[in-house]
Every structure is written in structure tokens, then in C-alpha cells.
Amino acid sequence: MGRTFSSIRLGVNNMADRWARSARALKKEGRKYGERLVELVKTHSSEAFVACDDPLEAVVFSALVEIFKRQDRLEAGVEKYVDS
């Protein structure tokens, strides 16, 4: 029996919920980063469901896409500042 879109989605949502609980358990200085990670995961997880067979793979892929997007925006901002 093969995987279904809903089973991957459910797995991702369950993992995001667990990560959110873990983020709340972190010390104050780490909590905001854990919460941001959960937000990143939820941003692209729907698109990742189609191509990923494993919920963890979808979660990590989603987070990495958002991290790279943010890095590109930061680098573009620095380049504008340096070129000015």
C-alpha cells in the first residue's frame, strides 16, 4: 500500500505540533528560534507533500527553502547597502 497525500500532511502537522511544544519548552533565549522554525515548516509544507515520502523530509525541506529565501533577502539588502 502506497503513501497518501493526507498521511504525509498529517505526519507533517503532527511533527510541527511536537516541534511547537518543544519550542515552548526551550529557555527564553532559544524559544523565539524554535517558534520561528515551526513557522518556517508550516510555510511550504503543503508543496513539499507531493514530492516527499516522509513527513520529516517535507518538514526539513520546507524549513530549508524558507531559510534560503531569507538568506537571499538579507544578502540582497547588504549588497544594496555596500553598493550605495
Side-chain angles (χ1 to χ4, degrees), residues 16-78:
D17 290 342
R18 287 192 309 273
W19 285 16
R21 287 192 304 275
S22 296
R24 287 190 298 271
L26 293 172
K27 292 180 180 179
K28 184 178 180 179
E29 60 270 6
R31 190 173 304 136
K32 68 179 178 179
Y33 301 110
E35 291 169 352
R36 283 176 50 193
L37 181 59
V38 172
E39 289 173 21
L40 294 178
V41 165
K42 292 181 178 182
T43 302
H44 286 281
S45 56
S46 294
E47 294 93 342
F49 296 152
V50 177
C52 298
D53 294 328
D54 177 13
L56 180 59
E57 181 182 15
V59 165
V60 171
F61 181 81
S62 299
L64 288 173
V65 166
E66 278 302 303
I67 288 168
F68 286 129
K69 282 173 50 178
R70 289 179 183 204
Q71 180 181 355
D72 283 348
R73 286 193 301 266
L74 287 171
E75 289 174 356
V78 168

